[in-house]
Amino acid sequence: MPIKPLIILPDPVLRQVSKPVERVDGALLKLADDMLETMYDAPGIGLAAIQVGEPLRMLVIDLAKEGETPAPHVFINPEVLESSDQRSVYEEGCLSIPDYYAEVERPAAVRVKYLDRDGKLLEMEAGGLMATCLQHEIDHLNGVLFIDHISKLKRDMVVKKFKKLAKDRAAGAKAAGRMVG
Ligand code: GNR
Ligand code: NI
């Protein structure tokens, strides 16, 4: 099952703190490939393992635009080593909070260390969208969502809307079940 279902707000799974990866083995790389496929299908530019229900510190990013050569990146056990004092603002979205977008201010550049798919320890200095995306994804590993960086008023409105959507979906599924059953 290469394309995995996405975990959607307000599922408490999204608030779990993910565990460090202990071994970069075949099963982990299979998960990375499934995450990339799920991300491309959505489509999105990044995905953390917890968004497909796996509480592991791994994320994937591909910033290539449609029509460009794909540029998949896998980050295992990523850690921010340094953040710039300079900030930048991007309009962010999240595959776990579909169709909601808001501006978020974050450090404009970060230096991260991580393991790549060969289990090799690497460092990356990122700016622009890569810096924002890395921070958005690393937040997921810590159970943090981009709506945690907006005003409480806006956040409460979004959470309320998604709670209602989840409730309506559950009621709809139950009604459909009655019809076939
Ligand atoms: O697809 C995504 N787009 C995006 C845009 C701006 C800042 C962050 C992101 S990440 C998001 C996919 C996602 O939810 N990753 O966790
Ligand atoms: Ni996200």
Side-chain angles (χ1 to χ4, degrees):
M1 195 189 62
I3 293 171
K4 293 176 169 283
L6 290 164
I7 308 286
I8 304 294
L9 190 76
D11 194 319
V13 166
L14 292 171
R15 294 306 189 175
Q16 282 185 33
V17 177
S18 294
K19 294 259 188 306
V21 168
E22 292 191 355
R23 267 214 330 260
V24 181
D25 57 13
L28 189 83
L29 296 179
K30 164 84 165 74
L31 174 61
D33 287 338
D34 289 354
M35 286 168 59
L36 282 163
E37 210 171 318
T38 303
M39 177 186 79
Y40 291 133
D41 178 67
I45 58 172
L47 192 72
I50 194 66
Q51 293 180 275
V52 293
E54 297 285 346
L56 287 171
R57 302 188 80 82
M58 176 163 70
L59 59 93
V60 297
I61 292 178
D62 190 336
L63 301 182
K65 297 196 181 69
E66 219 185 297
E68 290 180 1
T69 311
H73 291 276
V74 178
F75 298 84
I76 300 162
N77 296 344
E79 282 177 49
V80 175
L81 298 174
E82 216 178 334
S83 307
S84 65
D85 292 332
Q86 197 195 329
R87 309 274 138 168
S88 68
V89 175
Y90 271 92
E91 174 149 280
E92 298 195 16
C94 182
L95 295 175
S96 296
I97 312 173
D99 303 316
Y100 180 75
Y101 303 90
E103 290 193 334
V104 176
E105 186 183 299
R106 300 181 187 269
V110 289
R111 192 158 61 87
V112 296
K113 70 166 185 178
Y114 61 97
L115 302 177
D116 70 2
R117 21 183 340 142
D118 300 320
K120 203 170 116 193
L121 182 63
L122 295 179
E123 278 189 26
M124 178 190 280
E125 279 203 30
L129 185 56
M130 181 59 96
T132 288
C133 195
L134 272 168
Q135 292 173 81
H136 175 118
E137 303 310 339
I138 291 171
D139 270 357
H140 275 300
L141 307 186
N142 296 321
V144 174
L145 301 171
F146 85 94
I147 54 171
D148 299 337
H149 299 291
I150 64 178
S151 75
K152 177 167 162 44
L153 182 72
K154 284 191 196 170
R155 179 169 59 254
D156 287 350
M157 275 171 48
V158 180
V159 171
K160 191 175 159 192
K161 186 184 145 195
F162 277 82
K163 277 185 178 162
K164 182 168 185 326
L165 282 170
K167 204 178 139 194
D168 293 350
R169 262 198 313 275
K174 205 175 154 196
R178 273 200 302 272
M179 273 186 285
V180 291

